Amino acid sequence: EAGMLVIGMGEKKTVEASGHNWGEGVVTKEPTVEEKCIMSYTCQTCGETKTEEIDNAGIEKRITRVVLNNKNLIYNAHYRKYTKEDAKVTGSKGKVTFKYFSDVDCKNRISVLSIVDVGTYYAKAYVEEDNYFSPAESTVAKLIITKRPQVISVAGKIFPASYEKLKNSDQTFAASMGTTVRLNKGKLSYSKQSGDAKIKIASDGKITVKKGIKKGIYKVKVMVKSSSTKNYRATSKTVTVRVNVK
């Protein structure tokens, strides 16, 4: 372009401009997949400045990786799930979510609210992309809920038996050993472990004292079992009961 050149006092002359010399420029903003690069230039001849955007074509996001390991939990009557801390993410800072399935092929998706009972469930972690890293999906992981132990307590009791009645017939006592099972009650069963042969323990806990037994206090060891249920393990406990024949 033409410009005015001052030669002397009051004297001007029109000359042809030689053009700007912008040089190589400086990157003032790095490019991302979403945003273009911004370059700043300063003319080496006159000092004028300018900026321009450089196309970000060819810029690819870096790879994100996410690892989700198997998780073992004990039944607690509440739904169970993975947390963000369970997903080991390298790369994107995007949101982490999970999907749950009833099958290892991840074809039958289920609600996290259904993950309550004992069993094996399957899950995948998903990481959303950010400005610099790609999205990612983990391989399938197992979420395993195992049975919870039952807590059983048995209070040893004394059963009074009549010596006079036992001269002619057996005497039976209903199952009442003070057995309680906390958390969940499986089916109770009883078995004699030791004691006098004339004292019998039925599987339902009834105690039968056979006729002809002598007077005295008899100790009988009884094992009480609570059977396994859907979400609780079987458990057992041994108790000593006393039969007082007098």
Side-chain angles (χ1 to χ4, degrees), residues 87-246:
K88 309 306 180 186
V89 181
T90 303
S92 175
K93 303 299 182 183
K95 184 178 179 181
V96 178
T97 57
F98 302 92
K99 291 181 182 179
Y100 300 92
F101 308 87
S102 62
D103 62 306
V104 69
D105 295 323
C106 300
K107 293 180 179 179
N108 300 311
R109 189 174 174 185
I110 58 176
S111 167
V112 66
L113 299 179
S114 68
I115 303 176
V116 177
D117 292 331
V118 166
T120 300
Y121 305 86
Y122 302 90
K124 283 186 175 184
Y126 299 84
V127 184
E128 294 182 358
E129 64 182 349
D130 62 12
N131 287 341
Y132 302 99
F133 290 89
S134 64
E137 173 184 329
S138 74
T139 57
V140 63
K142 293 180 181 179
L143 195 162
I144 302 169
I145 300 178
T146 57
K147 289 187 176 184
R148 189 178 186 88
Q150 298 182 64
V151 179
I152 187 172
S153 62
V154 184
K157 298 185 68 175
I158 297 176
F159 296 89
S162 171
Y163 176 71
E164 292 299 323
K165 290 181 179 180
L166 286 167
K167 288 180 179 180
N168 302 309
S169 62
D170 299 342
Q171 191 170 353
T172 300
F173 300 92
S176 179
M177 298 184 190
T179 304
T180 57
V181 183
R182 291 192 291 112
L183 299 180
N184 186 75
K185 187 174 182 179
K187 183 179 179 181
L188 294 175
S189 62
Y190 302 79
S191 61
K192 180 180 174 181
Q193 302 299 296
S194 65
D196 193 279
K198 286 186 174 292
I199 299 175
K200 307 295 183 181
I201 307 294
S203 61
D204 62 359
K206 288 182 180 179
I207 299 174
T208 299
V209 182
K210 306 297 286 186
K211 69 178 181 178
I213 195 170
K214 295 179 180 180
K215 288 184 179 180
I217 297 176
Y218 297 86
K219 293 181 180 180
V220 181
K221 283 189 176 181
V222 179
M223 179 176 286
V224 184
K225 292 183 178 180
S226 181
S227 64
S228 174
T229 65
K230 182 177 182 179
N231 294 309
Y232 290 87
R233 295 204 308 261
T235 190
S236 64
K237 191 167 187 178
T238 300
V239 62
T240 299
V241 298
R242 292 169 173 82
V243 178
N244 187 5
V245 181
K246 61 181 180 178

Side-chain angles (χ1 to χ4, degrees), residues 5-20:
L5 178 65
V6 178
I7 303 301
M9 185 66 66
E11 185 179 357
K12 296 180 180 181
K13 183 178 180 182
T14 301
V15 297
E16 289 296 320
S18 60
H20 292 294

Side-chain angles (χ1 to χ4, degrees), residues 4-109:
M4 298 299 299
L5 178 65
V6 178
I7 303 301
M9 185 66 66
E11 185 179 357
K12 296 180 180 181
K13 183 178 180 182
T14 301
V15 297
E16 289 296 320
S18 60
H20 292 294
N21 178 17
W22 296 116
E24 295 183 355
V26 177
V27 176
T28 53
K29 186 174 183 180
E30 293 286 350
T32 68
V33 175
E34 284 78 17
E35 299 177 340
K36 295 181 178 181
C37 172
I38 295 180
M39 297 286 294
S40 295
Y41 300 89
T42 300
C43 178
Q44 304 301 307
T45 302
C46 66
E48 185 176 340
T49 62
K50 73 172 184 176
T51 61
E52 67 178 32
E53 292 183 340
I54 305 299
D55 192 4
N56 58 356
I59 300 293
E60 294 184 359
K61 290 188 175 183
R62 285 171 280 182
I63 296 174
T64 297
R65 290 181 174 84
V66 55
V67 176
L68 191 65
N69 293 319
N70 295 341
K71 190 171 186 177
N72 291 277
L73 301 169
I74 296 175
Y75 174 79
N76 70 353
H78 301 286
Y79 74 86
R80 315 305 290 274
K81 64 179 181 178
Y82 279 98
T83 65
K84 180 180 178 181
E85 290 70 27
D86 293 320
K88 309 306 180 186
V89 181
T90 303
S92 175
K93 303 299 182 183
K95 184 178 179 181
V96 178
T97 57
F98 302 92
K99 291 181 182 179
Y100 300 92
F101 308 87
S102 62
D103 62 306
V104 69
D105 295 323
C106 300
K107 293 180 179 179
N108 300 311
R109 189 174 174 185

